[in-house]
Amino acid sequence: MTLDLIGTLATTRFLAIIRGTDTAAAIATGTALLAEGVRVLEVALTTPGALDAIAAIRAAAPAGSLVGAGTVLTQAAVADVAAAGAQFVVTPAVVDSIGEAARRGLPVAAGALTPTEAYAVVRMGASAVKLFPASLGGPAYLKALRDPFPHIPFVAVGGVGLAELPGYLAAGAIAVGVGGPLIGDAASGGDLDALRERARAYLAATS
């Protein structure tokens, strides 16, 4: 069954991206975000023990939440994250994992920057286009991309802080994806209280 990643993102307007250096810290980060009300989050496969973190966070996630895997590059990685319980896949670029995830019924937010790439990943089966790095062109570039592709759901990722967030939503992004500005050092053993405070600020900005 294909999960409604697009509907959930369109409602919450927010995707949290966990990328860290410690498995236990990544799990603690994910559970803290869920407790604050974040409903869509991904764990980047560059995080040590990412598959274990995905499984643990998924087990702790309340109903209505979606826990996915990021930086998924290969067909083999899709099999691994599916086995760990990932409910969606995110890529940084036009890569082999897109078609494989779509074949398995896993929604994909596929990384793209140019119009050609955006069109290509949708043809490969992507549910949404992750505009990455969004900061390269800013909200004006997103708006220009959406003009010929009004039917494509875009998620702005890369350099989206609290100050930039409203501009991307106004330009037509269904959601923003935030990593470093939200997570800080929490997924590497840092301050979870500060993480919770940042999460509340982002949730307020997207509500």
Side-chain angles (χ1 to χ4, degrees):
M1 180 181 68
T2 300
L3 297 162
D4 188 13
L5 175 65
I6 302 308
T8 305
L9 284 174
T11 300
T12 64
R13 314 300 302 276
F14 189 59
L15 164 67
I17 302 167
I18 301 171
R19 189 185 302 276
T21 60
D22 180 82
T23 309
I27 294 169
T29 296
T31 53
L33 290 172
L34 291 169
E36 290 300 331
V38 174
R39 287 296 168 259
V40 189
L41 59 84
E42 68 171 88
V43 178
L45 291 190
T46 53
T47 302
L51 297 176
D52 291 335
I54 290 166
I57 296 168
R58 172 79 194 278
S65 303
L66 294 176
V67 179
T71 323
V72 181
L73 304 178
T74 66
Q75 294 183 12
V78 173
D80 290 340
V81 302
Q87 294 167 289
F88 64 92
V89 163
V90 182
T91 81
V94 183
V95 289
D96 292 343
S97 57
I98 298 169
E100 176 64 15
R103 186 186 70 79
R104 289 172 173 264
L106 279 175
V108 188
L113 180 62
T114 68
T116 299
E117 290 171 348
Y119 184 69
V121 297
V122 171
R123 283 180 61 84
M124 292 170 71
S127 305
V129 170
K130 167 184 154 181
L131 179 62
F132 178 78
S135 58
L136 191 63
Y141 180 69
L142 170 61
K143 183 180 183 304
L145 264 184
R146 289 194 67 249
D147 286 345
F149 300 125
H151 61 290
I152 294 179
F154 283 94
V155 180
V157 180
V160 182
L162 274 173
E164 295 79 22
L165 185 154
Y168 287 106
L169 296 181
I174 65 162
V176 295
V178 185
L182 167 68
I183 304 303
D185 62 357
S188 299
D191 189 341
L192 289 176
D193 287 334
L195 168 72
R196 293 185 183 98
E197 186 174 337
R198 290 190 297 270
R200 288 192 290 270
Y202 272 97
L203 289 171
T206 51
S207 63

